[in-house]
Amino acid sequence: MAAPDAHPPTAAPAPDDSLAPSLTDGLAAIVGARHVLADPADMAPYVSAARYGGGRARLVVAPADAAQLSAVLRLCQARGVPTVPQGANTGLVGASTPDGSGAQVVLSLRRLTGTFDLDLDNRAVTVGAGWDLDSLNQRLEPHGLWFPVDISASPSVGGMIATNAGGSRVLRYGDMRRNVLSLEAVLADGRIVGDRRGLRKNSTGLDLKQLFIGTGGSFGIVATAVLDLQPLPRQMATALVVPADTGAINGLLALLERRAGEYLSAFESMSGPALAAALHHRPQLRNPFGGGPVPAETILVELMSATEPGTGLDLDALLLSILEQGYGDGVIADAIPGPPADLWALRHAISEGLRGLGRVIGLDISVARGRMSAFRAAASDWVHQHHPDLLVCGFGHRGDGGDHFNLVIPRAVDADWPADRVEAVRHGLYRLLVDGFDGSYSAEHGIGPVNLSFHRTFADPVQQSLARLLQDHLDPAGLLGRVRW
Amino acid sequence: MAAPDAHPPTAAPAPDDSLAPSLTDGLAAIVGARHVLADPADMAPYVSAARYGGGRARLVVAPADAAQLSAVLRLCQARGVPTVPQGANTGLVGASTPDGSGAQVVLSLRRLTGTFDLDLDNRAVTVGAGWDLDSLNQRLEPHGLWFPVDISASPSVGGMIATNAGGSRVLRYGDMRRNVLSLEAVLADGRIVGDRRGLRKNSTGLDLKQLFIGTGGSFGIVATAVLDLQPLPRQMATALVVPADTGAINGLLALLERRAGEYLSAFESMSGPALAAALHHRPQLRNPFGGGPVPAETILVELMSATEPGTGLDLDALLLSILEQGYGDGVIADAIPGPPADLWALRHAISEGLRGLGRVIGLDISVARGRMSAFRAAASDWVHQHHPDLLVCGFGHRGDGGDHFNLVIPRAVDADWPADRVEAVRHGLYRLLVDGFDGSYSAEHGIGPVNLSFHRTFADPVQQSLARLLQDHLDPAGLLGRVRW
């Protein structure tokens, strides 16, 4: 897919000063020759992401630590070379791959894994930004701890910070803003700012770290972070719940929070078409509704507790009791308790299931959570009225007001949907979302070339002007990353 | 106490343009004549705070809502009149009272209480910044909800945001940054920015609201906030715990978090001298240690749960079981379970108890929590060595690394302690804290005239320069509040 609104492709690189070493040699002197890639075949994995990309890189360079990253950025600054930071390259907004100019150097941060300082007394870990989420949690498990931001992928810590990742358990554990205690970032000029102090309380005016969370590396590149950790759950109880009707979902959520609020860790919505696509795509998954029709909306409810079984608390019993009350109160039509792994497998099969149906138009939106049903209804009506050939297949994090209100272009009509028509649909739905429902056009994926034009249309003008003020100050030459605010 | 480092007192007010209405008349036309105070006797409560003040106000004006606040700021901007926002005036850093120039207009925000929109579906409330914490929680109680940031005072919501208030339950519920979903602020030029959307997920680059949290009104005045709410606890269990020795405290905290982490809502430290002062000051309080000596350090442990008693979870039993294990593990020397109200009464009597002993030098500090004992020991040694006439009376929020490392100047030597000597002690201890323990010189009180000079010495230079950049942009005439970054 074309990146519709990155900052304009940078001009072709000026030839290096003939008296200075080449850029390649200069970078190799910092990181070692084998960590500078120049061959297009070697660079291929770095210029395309799972869903976006197709750019061209001048070089790919992989520093080993913050000091090398700093030196690389100083060199690029001195030469006027634009750079694009890249973590695990799992992002969904096109921010981690280069544009089509061939001028940008990709800074791969995967080697920034040298630091792993677990502070059990502070229940926190200091890690390099290159750590991926799965490896981090594997390393933490023997200590009875985990990092609870869960986005059913294994992004890098740096990428999670850059996008302010959220995911399925924000309802209980919050997003990255809440779970990063400290960070160190490298500015465009190579300065390393921030700290590794891991303070849980610190009120000294402007909170520097917040500037680097969710801003996609546009103000600086996160090299190191101190993450808050949580006790590993020792009990989980999950069920698929079919609400009595759409209007009952808020009541169901309120009931769960009233009786089990401190344990409620997920309240995930799956629309009928989304769940049907998952079941169709992965026939080995057990259909929880037998051969019968898939309900219009199914909620995956999860309770988690770090309290040991046998100390009085029994989450399975608590969940059953709540579900019984839900029947009695008339908010639940059907409920199917089941093992967490089985139920999450359904939920996690949806993305792939939708891609099995055709081209996906992904909308990562949020509203105040009580308004989700109203938004979904209005947005579905809009789609059905204006674009009846599209399939509406929403699913997502209903407990915190997030939804992947995704549309699918069936293969049969794919040719009717050039990129500009897709963009027009997105624009129309965002307009409805923002004007009609006070919603956000980026709940948890962040801003990148893929959605920057929408950001410019819909974001608070003061927010945008302050972002520009900061960026012009921190990166006056405009060399850092894919987004100019 | 003199405010040592506010921005210099503003010059005396220029006479109003003789063709324009007087400032008083202009303000009265906006808010009504009875909400503009000009008589020094009427203004007296607004020019001094509990611990700081002694300034002079040109006028006190109390707008009723954000629109009036906006109009007031526009008028003040047009006339070049400096203003100081004031909530419940419970702040501890001198930021809410005017300087000595007599030029500043106090903007009392107490009338900003017209908005109270409870959104049960979103588990959030939209309130005017003038709501005080106690009134807010009383209003929420019938709904089974509360706002859990607890600072054993009843500040205004706006003031809590301006200081990024923390308090006793940050360990479980976090500070204001974590609990504000949205806010609207009025800029120096009268523009109202931000939103009331109450989104729980929103990742659209720069998070505008973070700029107004903890920055003391220097970038704009918060008029309205959407606060995240929590289910009201239905069970509490508390105990006073005497650790086996100072080195055992980290182990005690780890034990509690391992076995009851999701319920642990307070882990408050009281040093021997602090607790003794509280008991001495309020003889009606029961001495939990009988007539015997007060231990060198006592921890108030609190568990809270929203789960109903009778559903399996029994926090009293869980706490007893953990305390028994603590004895067995050798981390606990003594433990005294007791009713929450009684135990918190001891904790809350400390501040007044210390003032009963003499003049208090308050240090609101934090460190990575595992380092608290080491900091306290080193800081106590420093005080004993350099200033043996001072009493060291620390207490605070040890579970999140916060401490009120307070010193008391006994009455007998009060005359030996002029303000500059007090400041030198603070400087010496902050130097030890920052250089030796990576600590913060403002854990939860924020930055104001009282500690601004220390901020300039110890804060990250990049943090300071970005704060100045933002302030120069948002308040170019320098009219807003007491702090110029």
Side-chain angles (χ1 to χ4, degrees):
Chain A
M1 172 170 176
D5 210 316
H7 60 95
T10 321
D16 293 316
D17 177 337
S18 59
L19 293 179
S22 74
L23 179 65
T24 308
D25 290 348
L27 293 171
I30 297 167
V31 302
R34 55 189 284 252
H35 300 297
V36 180
L37 309 180
D39 185 294
D42 294 339
M43 295 197 289
Y46 299 88
V47 299
S48 293
R51 295 194 210 164
Y52 301 105
R56 288 169 55 224
R58 178 170 176 184
L59 296 168
V60 174
V61 56
D65 54 32
Q68 287 191 6
L69 175 59
S70 166
V72 165
L73 283 169
R74 272 200 309 277
L75 179 62
C76 289
Q77 170 104 337
R79 302 286 184 94
V81 173
T83 58
V84 176
Q86 182 179 100
N89 202 10
T90 55
L92 298 175
V93 293
S96 61
T97 48
D99 64 27
S101 69
Q104 294 177 314
V105 169
V106 172
L107 303 178
S108 171
L109 305 174
R110 293 194 191 201
R111 293 178 67 218
L112 287 177
T113 53
T115 300
F116 182 94
D117 291 335
L118 183 59
D119 180 347
L120 290 173
D121 289 335
N122 201 30
R123 200 173 16 86
V125 67
T126 305
V127 288
W131 273 83
D132 72 89
L133 183 59
D134 286 350
S135 301
L136 176 65
N137 277 324
Q138 281 161 25
R139 183 86 175 256
L140 293 171
E141 192 177 3
H143 303 281
L145 295 168
W146 71 320
F147 185 66
V149 178
D150 177 355
I151 60 171
S152 59
S154 190
S156 69
V157 167
M160 293 177 79
I161 295 173
T163 53
N164 185 28
S168 297
R169 293 179 174 125
V170 163
L171 179 60
R172 172 151 180 191
Y173 295 105
D175 58 12
M176 292 299 286
R177 289 194 188 282
R178 176 164 143 189
N179 288 282
V180 173
L181 297 178
S182 290
L183 58 77
E184 282 179 348
V186 187
L187 303 183
D189 63 9
R191 275 181 298 167
I192 300 176
V193 301
D195 69 81
R196 302 183 181 192
R197 295 181 295 170
L199 299 179
R200 295 174 172 277
K201 263 189 176 158
N202 184 26
S203 182
T204 55
L206 180 68
D207 189 1
L208 192 62
K209 71 174 179 288
Q210 299 292 343
L211 300 182
F212 299 97
I213 302 177
T215 49
S218 61
F219 297 153
I221 301 174
V222 174
T224 313
V226 185
L227 305 177
D228 195 8
L229 303 176
Q230 298 298 328
L232 208 51
R234 293 201 184 87
Q235 294 187 56
M236 283 175 76
T238 48
L240 295 180
V241 181
V242 181
D245 54 56
T246 306
I249 298 177
N250 287 339
L252 171 62
L253 180 54
L255 171 66
L256 282 159
E257 292 198 334
R258 198 163 58 242
R259 293 199 49 197
E262 60 204 333
Y263 310 117
L264 185 64
S265 49
F267 188 87
E268 297 276 298
S269 165
M270 302 182 280
S271 71
L275 185 51
L279 290 166
H280 179 78
H281 180 75
R282 291 227 189 129
Q284 69 274 32
L285 291 175
R286 196 180 66 82
N287 183 339
F289 305 103
V294 173
E297 186 162 357
T298 302
I299 309 286
L300 195 171
V301 171
E302 177 189 79
L303 306 184
M304 272 187 182
S305 172
T307 306
E308 296 144 322
T311 55
L313 179 71
D314 179 338
L315 284 190
D316 285 320
L318 180 61
L319 181 56
L320 280 178
S321 158
I322 295 170
L323 295 177
E324 276 167 20
Q325 183 179 346
Y327 278 115
D329 291 354
V331 296
I332 292 180
D334 194 7
I336 305 165
D342 291 3
L343 304 190
W344 279 107
L346 290 170
R347 167 68 183 78
H348 289 152
I350 290 177
S351 286
E352 219 179 312
L354 298 190
R355 286 194 293 275
L357 294 178
R359 183 149 47 105
V360 174
I361 306 174
L363 286 91
D364 163 42
I365 66 95
S366 66
V367 292
R369 62 186 199 179
R371 304 177 76 179
M372 182 60 78
S373 290
F375 167 73
R376 274 192 172 184
S380 297
D381 284 351
W382 186 91
V383 173
H384 294 322
Q385 187 180 342
H386 296 284
H387 306 286
D389 51 346
L390 295 180
L391 308 175
V392 177
C393 301
F395 64 102
H397 318 297
R398 185 159 186 147
D400 49 49
D403 198 46
H404 302 295
F405 187 82
N406 287 1
L407 310 173
V408 181
I409 303 167
R411 292 196 201 299
V413 298
D414 190 80
D416 300 340
W417 284 90
D420 59 342
R421 198 173 169 212
V422 169
E423 292 305 287
V425 168
R426 290 163 68 100
H427 189 279
L429 283 169
Y430 289 143
R431 175 59 70 197
L432 176 69
L433 170 75
V434 171
D435 290 352
F437 295 90
D438 291 327
S440 169
Y441 46 88
S442 176
E444 57 181 6
H445 293 173
I447 304 296
V450 166
N451 55 7
L452 184 58
S453 70
F454 302 115
H455 179 74
R456 290 195 174 126
T457 303
F458 296 114
D460 182 313
V462 174
Q463 175 196 349
Q464 293 191 61
S465 69
L466 295 181
R468 282 193 290 270
L469 179 78
L470 290 163
Q471 188 171 39
D472 288 346
H473 180 82
L474 291 170
D475 180 22
L479 298 177
L480 214 55
R482 290 295 303 275
V483 170
R484 293 303 290 177
W485 303 109
Chain B
M1 174 173 175
D5 211 316
H7 60 94
T10 320
D16 293 317
D17 178 338
S18 58
L19 293 179
S22 75
L23 179 66
T24 308
D25 289 348
L27 292 171
I30 296 167
V31 302
R34 55 189 285 254
H35 300 298
V36 181
L37 309 180
D39 184 295
D42 294 339
M43 295 197 288
Y46 299 88
V47 300
S48 292
R51 296 193 209 163
Y52 301 104
R56 289 168 56 225
R58 178 171 177 183
L59 296 168
V60 173
V61 56
D65 53 31
Q68 288 190 4
L69 176 58
S70 165
V72 165
L73 284 169
R74 273 200 308 275
L75 179 63
C76 289
Q77 170 104 336
R79 302 289 185 92
V81 174
T83 58
V84 177
Q86 182 179 99
N89 202 10
T90 55
L92 298 175
V93 293
S96 61
T97 48
D99 64 27
S101 68
Q104 294 177 313
V105 169
V106 172
L107 304 177
S108 171
L109 306 173
R110 293 194 192 201
R111 293 178 66 219
L112 288 176
T113 53
T115 300
F116 183 94
D117 292 335
L118 183 59
D119 181 347
L120 291 174
D121 290 335
N122 201 30
R123 200 171 18 84
V125 68
T126 305
V127 288
W131 273 83
D132 72 87
L133 183 60
D134 287 351
S135 302
L136 176 65
N137 277 324
Q138 281 160 27
R139 183 86 174 258
L140 293 171
E141 192 177 1
H143 302 281
L145 295 168
W146 71 321
F147 184 66
V149 178
D150 177 355
I151 61 171
S152 59
S154 189
S156 70
V157 167
M160 293 177 80
I161 295 173
T163 53
N164 185 28
S168 297
R169 292 179 175 126
V170 163
L171 179 59
R172 173 151 180 190
Y173 295 106
D175 57 12
M176 291 301 286
R177 289 193 187 281
R178 176 164 143 189
N179 289 282
V180 173
L181 297 177
S182 289
L183 58 78
E184 281 180 347
V186 187
L187 303 183
D189 62 9
R191 274 181 298 167
I192 300 176
V193 302
D195 69 82
R196 301 184 181 192
R197 295 181 294 171
L199 300 179
R200 294 174 172 278
K201 263 191 177 160
N202 185 26
S203 182
T204 56
L206 180 68
D207 188 2
L208 192 62
K209 71 173 179 290
Q210 299 292 343
L211 300 182
F212 299 98
I213 302 177
T215 49
S218 60
F219 297 153
I221 301 174
V222 174
T224 313
V226 185
L227 305 177
D228 195 8
L229 303 175
Q230 298 298 329
L232 209 50
R234 292 202 184 88
Q235 294 187 56
M236 283 175 75
T238 48
L240 296 180
V241 180
V242 181
D245 55 56
T246 306
I249 298 177
N250 286 338
L252 172 61
L253 180 53
L255 172 65
L256 282 158
E257 292 197 333
R258 199 164 56 241
R259 293 199 49 196
E262 60 203 333
Y263 310 116
L264 186 64
S265 48
F267 188 87
E268 298 276 298
S269 165
M270 302 182 280
S271 71
L275 185 51
L279 290 166
H280 179 78
H281 180 74
R282 291 227 189 128
Q284 69 274 32
L285 291 175
R286 196 180 67 81
N287 182 340
F289 305 102
V294 173
E297 185 162 358
T298 302
I299 308 287
L300 195 171
V301 171
E302 177 189 79
L303 306 183
M304 271 186 181
S305 172
T307 306
E308 296 145 321
T311 55
L313 180 70
D314 179 338
L315 284 190
D316 284 319
L318 180 60
L319 181 56
L320 280 179
S321 157
I322 294 171
L323 296 177
E324 277 167 21
Q325 183 179 348
Y327 278 114
D329 291 354
V331 295
I332 293 179
D334 194 7
I336 305 165
D342 291 3
L343 303 190
W344 280 106
L346 289 170
R347 167 68 182 77
H348 289 153
I350 290 177
S351 286
E352 220 178 311
L354 297 190
R355 286 194 293 275
L357 294 178
R359 183 148 46 105
V360 174
I361 307 174
L363 286 92
D364 163 42
I365 66 96
S366 66
V367 292
R369 63 186 198 177
R371 303 177 76 178
M372 182 60 79
S373 290
F375 168 72
R376 274 191 172 184
S380 298
D381 284 350
W382 186 91
V383 173
H384 295 321
Q385 187 180 341
H386 296 284
H387 305 287
D389 51 345
L390 296 179
L391 308 175
V392 177
C393 301
F395 65 102
H397 318 297
R398 185 159 186 148
D400 49 49
D403 199 46
H404 302 295
F405 187 82
N406 287 1
L407 310 174
V408 180
I409 303 168
R411 292 194 201 300
V413 299
D414 190 80
D416 300 340
W417 284 90
D420 60 341
R421 197 173 171 213
V422 170
E423 293 305 286
V425 168
R426 290 161 68 99
H427 189 279
L429 283 169
Y430 289 144
R431 175 60 68 197
L432 176 69
L433 170 74
V434 171
D435 291 352
F437 295 90
D438 291 328
S440 170
Y441 46 89
S442 177
E444 56 182 5
H445 293 173
I447 303 297
V450 166
N451 55 8
L452 184 57
S453 70
F454 302 115
H455 179 74
R456 290 196 173 125
T457 303
F458 296 114
D460 182 314
V462 174
Q463 176 197 350
Q464 294 192 61
S465 69
L466 295 180
R468 281 193 289 272
L469 179 77
L470 289 163
Q471 188 172 38
D472 289 345
H473 180 82
L474 292 169
D475 180 22
L479 298 176
L480 214 55
R482 291 294 304 275
V483 170
R484 294 303 290 177
W485 302 111

